[in-house]
Amino acid sequence: MGLNSSSKQDLEDFKSYIIVEKNFSKHTAKAYCADVLDFLLWIGEESCEDVNFSKVREYLHFIQKFNYKKNTIARKIASIRTFYKYLYRERKVDSNPAMNLTSPKRPKSLPKFLTPDEVEEILNNVKMETPSGFRNRAILELLWATGMRVSELSGLNFGDLNLEHNEIRVFGKGAKERIILVTDRAKSYLERYINTARALIPKGFPLEDVSESSPVFINNTGYRLQTKTIRNVINETVEKISLPKKVTPHVFRHSFATHLIENGADLRVVQELLGHASISNTQIYTHVSTQHLKEVYSESHPRA
């Protein structure tokens, strides 16, 4: 099937909108645009601006045969709905034909997390014989100590650091600014990296003078460290110790939140530290904590 020329342009404009104005992550923007492109290819030469509710529902019926997971179907609906919401804002359509679509209920799954001992095992197995090793240890210490997203850590600039007061400013989803707190231990590793290792990381490449807009974490060419590299650092470390869990930067975030709540932290405080727009996103960790309590109870109570 061909792609209508006006639809193609609408998709390009939509991509710019969700990246620049809505500040979607590269990963989310890529997924949304791929979903919309699939839909546009399905309608073919018909302009997306002429589509009605029945047509969108017909498309959803069509993709059922691919046996997508409920999460994938829900995302595809969200992608199309967001696309038409944009077109409506731009007055290219009179209404959003995807507005009244019902998303399938997503299966509730508890977030995976690490025990404090497992986190320490990971941290202690980061090799620190090289400048990059010092950087990697500082990165993982920060992920564990702050619960920040990997994209937030990658985006850190020197102007965001207020280490004298154990504070870091981050910009989360939707470019929302918040202040997160740093433990003394994580601060110590970060300062050691900044003061000794950072300047030694670029190999044969000149390093610019540090300014407030300079990236905190850099790669071997002196440019900002990308999220993919951070994920690789975690993967390589976990593989060495044969930890029977899949560990991602987000697992560090889940572990941070879970242990705060298990140790009595107020839900609103955890919400603020994580940068959740709604407390309902944070409440999932109370379920994790309750599950942990049940496991301890079952193991410890003589009549359980």
Side-chain angles (χ1 to χ4, degrees):
M1 293 183 181
L3 183 64
N4 181 281
S5 58
S6 65
S7 297
K8 183 177 180 180
Q9 185 60 54
D10 284 338
L11 178 58
E12 287 297 319
D13 295 340
F14 172 68
K15 181 179 180 180
S16 299
Y17 165 71
I18 59 176
I19 292 176
V20 177
E21 293 192 38
K22 300 297 289 184
N23 198 37
F24 279 25
S25 69
K26 291 181 180 178
H27 176 78
T28 303
K30 183 178 179 181
Y32 270 47
C33 288
D35 290 338
V36 174
L37 177 60
D38 287 344
F39 173 68
L40 296 180
L41 288 172
W42 180 79
I43 65 175
E45 288 299 323
E46 182 179 354
S47 172
C48 62
E49 297 172 15
D50 297 328
V51 166
N52 57 23
F53 174 75
S54 296
K55 193 71 174 180
V56 178
R57 190 168 57 178
E58 182 184 344
Y59 174 70
L60 293 181
H61 180 73
F62 164 74
I63 64 176
Q64 293 297 326
K65 66 180 182 181
F66 296 108
N67 295 319
Y68 289 121
K69 293 180 180 179
K70 288 183 178 180
N71 283 342
T72 302
I73 295 292
R75 192 203 64 221
K76 288 181 177 296
I77 291 175
S79 300
I80 296 172
R81 185 184 290 131
T82 304
F83 175 63
Y84 276 103
K85 184 177 180 180
Y86 162 74
L87 293 182
Y88 179 73
R89 193 195 79 151
E90 296 297 310
R91 299 183 178 180
K92 293 188 174 184
V93 294
D94 295 329
S95 62
N96 184 340
M99 181 59 68
N100 295 321
L101 289 176
T102 302
S103 297
K105 289 187 176 181
R106 305 188 187 197
K108 291 184 178 180
S109 59
L110 296 177
K112 296 178 175 62
F113 65 97
L114 301 164
T115 66
D117 288 343
E118 288 172 335
V119 174
E120 289 302 320
E121 185 178 7
I122 293 172
L123 295 176
N124 291 332
N125 276 277
V126 178
K127 303 301 181 184
M128 297 177 62
E129 290 88 354
T130 64
S132 294
F134 269 88
R135 177 202 63 199
N136 297 343
R137 180 63 185 265
I139 284 172
L140 297 193
E141 289 282 351
L142 273 182
L143 288 176
W144 168 231
T146 66
M148 73 171 75
R149 300 178 178 91
V150 65
S151 58
E152 294 169 348
L153 187 143
S154 172
L156 286 180
N157 296 327
F158 276 90
D160 300 321
L161 304 181
N162 184 5
L163 297 183
E164 181 180 353
H165 294 96
N166 289 61
E167 295 176 354
I168 295 178
R169 177 181 59 184
V170 297
F171 295 91
K173 291 183 177 180
K176 291 181 180 177
E177 177 183 335
R178 74 182 190 280
I179 300 297
I180 58 176
L181 306 178
V182 186
T183 61
D184 287 336
R185 189 175 92 167
K187 181 176 78 169
S188 174
Y189 278 101
L190 179 58
E191 289 178 332
R192 288 168 64 189
Y193 156 71
I194 291 172
N195 295 330
T196 62
R198 185 180 182 275
L200 302 176
I201 288 179
K203 298 176 180 178
F205 293 89
L207 186 62
E208 296 181 357
D209 292 337
V210 171
S211 67
E212 288 202 346
S213 61
S214 299
V216 174
F217 294 107
I218 57 175
N219 58 25
N220 291 341
T221 60
Y223 289 98
R224 185 180 304 278
L225 194 69
Q226 299 301 303
T227 59
K228 182 179 180 181
T229 304
I230 299 173
R231 297 178 195 278
N232 289 340
V233 168
I234 295 175
N235 291 337
E236 291 169 5
T237 305
V238 172
E239 285 176 4
K240 293 175 185 175
I241 61 178
S242 301
L243 193 69
K245 289 182 179 179
K246 180 174 176 58
V247 182
T248 65
H250 225 65
V251 169
F252 274 83
R253 180 170 164 85
H254 292 324
S255 305
F256 164 81
T258 300
H259 296 304
L260 280 183
I261 290 176
E262 285 189 344
N263 286 289
D266 182 84
L267 201 58
R268 292 287 182 185
V269 173
V270 178
Q271 177 192 2
E272 183 66 26
L273 291 173
L274 291 176
H276 283 162
S278 169
I279 199 167
S280 62
N281 295 327
T282 314
Q283 285 175 329
I284 184 67
Y285 298 105
T286 62
H287 299 311
V288 173
S289 186
T290 301
Q291 183 185 37
H292 175 70
L293 289 174
K294 288 180 179 178
E295 291 171 357
V296 172
Y297 177 83
S298 180
E299 292 172 3
S300 306
H301 197 286
R303 300 292 185 186

